[in-house]
Amino acid sequence: MQIDLNCDVGEWSGAGIPSNEQALLTYITSANIACGGHAGDERTMQATVRFAVDHGVAIGAHPGFADRAGFGRRETSLTPREIEDLVASQVKLLRDVARSEQAALKHVKPHGALYNLSARDASVADAVARAVVRVDPGLVLFGLSGSKLLAAGRASGLSVASEVFADRAYAVDGSLVSRRNPGAVIDDVGVVVQRAVRLVVDGVVFAESGEALHVVADTICVHGDTSGAPELMKQLRAGFQKVGVTVRSICEP
């Protein structure tokens, strides 16, 4: 049994990678790098790609709505074609940055509101999948376990990875509880590790209502802005090792 550990990174500005992010990149196996929509620019992409490559971390694009003020967490009214073009342009940009560093882009994971919208709206999911195919049909598409995005990816011929969250509360329909709600983000290390192990080993997470949800877990996300994220990643790896789960990038051959 194995699991991929991913984190959203490159969402800062400036010339140097923050120490917190450097620590995260030493523990994860897949990096979702912001590519100019909700955050990031070519300079942050280049620095993050470089650091990820040096630490054996798979490189992925993290496209989002072009809404820096709202950090890509507000839904934007765009047509499916506009969403397709938006995603394709951001993924291409990171692909080109990676190539300039003699690295290869491996996967795509939408960010924030785009992620949540593509999970439930088939037209948005189809647009995202089409964008990924346009750039490179060999890329792996990350999406919420059981979501419309994964269905769209499969229908488009893409390889997909079912993503679960150890540090986010789930609604009874399998969606993530809005960050606006109390308790939506879980920052108790012990609780997160326990949830993560159950998600991977048993394929189960408990909704906020207490109901058991059955999910497929190929990759697990912990957010970099979760309190004590680097230490949490360290404890997650130790927790998986304890139960015999190998932590490895899903994009490795």
Side-chain angles (χ1 to χ4, degrees):
M1 185 176 289
Q2 68 179 51
I3 190 65
D4 176 54
L5 268 182
N6 81 76
C7 189
D8 306 339
V9 294
E11 296 174 323
W12 41 275
S13 59
I17 301 179
S19 58
N20 182 70
E21 190 143 303
Q22 291 186 32
L24 284 171
L25 284 162
T26 63
Y27 291 120
I28 63 175
T29 51
S30 292
N32 317 310
I33 303 174
C35 35
H38 69 285
D41 54 31
E42 289 193 48
R43 185 169 61 168
T44 60
M45 285 181 242
Q46 186 177 53
T48 309
V49 165
R50 234 178 243 165
F51 197 91
V53 168
D54 288 345
H55 290 80
V57 178
I59 297 164
H62 196 42
F65 287 127
D67 174 27
R68 288 176 177 258
F71 198 61
R73 288 177 175 159
R74 299 181 296 196
E75 290 188 7
T76 302
S77 180
L78 298 175
T79 66
R81 184 53 192 260
E82 288 171 332
I83 290 173
E84 180 182 340
D85 290 343
L86 175 79
V87 172
S89 65
Q90 292 182 42
V91 175
K92 284 179 182 176
L93 178 57
L94 184 62
R95 179 201 62 187
D96 292 345
V97 169
R99 285 178 175 174
S100 74
E101 294 296 322
Q102 288 74 56
L105 190 65
K106 296 292 188 180
H107 68 274
V108 176
K109 173 188 167 181
H111 166 79
L114 181 59
Y115 182 95
N116 292 329
L117 192 57
S118 65
R120 67 176 189 271
D121 187 318
S123 65
V124 175
D126 289 341
V128 172
R130 286 196 303 270
V132 176
V133 171
R134 265 172 59 182
V135 179
D136 182 353
L139 294 170
V140 178
L141 180 60
F142 284 24
L144 185 66
S145 184
S147 67
K148 287 183 169 58
L149 180 58
L150 295 187
R154 292 189 189 99
S156 298
L158 294 167
S159 295
V160 300
S162 294
E163 183 177 40
V164 294
F165 294 79
D167 61 352
R168 291 292 304 277
Y170 278 77
V172 71
D173 64 355
S175 65
L176 301 178
V177 173
S178 170
R179 283 175 173 267
R180 295 188 295 270
N181 296 348
V185 179
I186 303 163
D187 56 14
D188 183 304
V189 172
V191 172
V192 175
V193 172
Q194 182 183 54
R195 283 164 58 88
V197 170
R198 185 185 296 117
L199 275 163
V200 176
V201 175
D202 300 326
V204 171
V205 65
F206 289 98
E208 59 179 354
S209 63
E211 184 172 341
L213 306 177
H214 295 276
V215 297
V216 176
D218 296 320
T219 184
I220 191 165
C221 177
V222 171
H223 291 92
D225 56 2
T226 297
S227 178
E231 178 61 24
L232 175 54
M233 285 291 189
K234 181 180 178 181
Q235 294 301 322
L236 271 178
R237 293 192 74 122
F240 286 133
Q241 183 178 20
K242 186 176 180 180
V243 297
V245 175
T246 301
V247 177
R248 179 184 179 190
S249 170
I250 195 168
C251 298
E252 288 184 21

